[in-house]
């Protein structure tokens, strides 16, 4: 479960990195006539975009491993109240029956296992 949750957190983090890193820097150019500047293009923050792609790959890999482990592990554990059959199940404890009798000044007890 932890591997799947960590993978999901990695996917969210990669989305944040990629959205902030793409088109982060505005590049202005000179038109050459009167010195007026205009925005001619945007450039990516290479570090954030690279971190976003690495985090995306790692998160997908963690989820690809975590989900099957979660499903297989959930099937192998019996739910509460469910008994297992076969040699792996433990025998039930024996039922104890008892009888206590009082005779005047003495007490006697008899138990059967």
């Amino acid at each position: 479960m932890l591997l799947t949750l960590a993978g999901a957190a990695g996917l969210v983090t990669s989305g944040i990195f990629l959205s902030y890193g793409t088109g982060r820097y505005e590049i202005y150019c000179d038109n050459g006539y009167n010195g007026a500047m205009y925005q001619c293009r945007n450039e990516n923050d290479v570090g954030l975009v690279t971190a976003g792609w690495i985090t995306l790959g790692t998160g997908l890999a963690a989820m690809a491993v975590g989900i099957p482990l979660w499903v297989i592990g959930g099937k192998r554990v019996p739910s509460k109240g469910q008994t297992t059959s076969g040699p792996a199940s433990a025998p039930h404890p024996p039922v104890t029956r008892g009888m206590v009798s009082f005779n005047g000044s003495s007490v006697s007890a008899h138990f059967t296992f």
Side-chain angles (χ1 to χ4, degrees):
M1 289 183 347
L2 293 177
L3 195 59
T4 305
L5 294 175
L11 293 180
V12 171
T13 304
S14 70
I16 293 170
F17 285 165
L18 288 171
S19 67
Y20 281 120
T22 304
R24 182 168 180 166
Y25 301 117
E26 299 173 349
I27 306 300
Y28 289 90
C29 300
D30 184 8
N31 66 3
Y33 296 111
N34 58 2
M37 302 291 281
Y38 66 96
Q39 181 181 352
C40 56
R41 69 181 188 275
N42 289 340
E43 289 195 9
N44 297 337
D45 184 348
V46 177
L48 275 178
V49 172
T50 303
W53 285 112
I54 291 171
T55 308
L56 178 69
T58 305
L60 286 174
M63 288 187 70
V65 172
I67 290 173
L69 287 175
W70 192 352
V71 170
I72 291 170
K75 287 182 180 178
R76 293 185 179 241
V77 176
S79 60
K80 292 181 182 177
Q82 180 182 0
T83 59
T84 59
S85 61
S89 64
H92 294 290
V95 177
T96 304
R97 295 184 182 126
M99 185 175 97
V100 178
S101 60
F102 300 98
N103 286 334
S105 62
S106 66
V107 177
S108 65
H110 178 71
F111 293 99
T112 305
F113 293 96

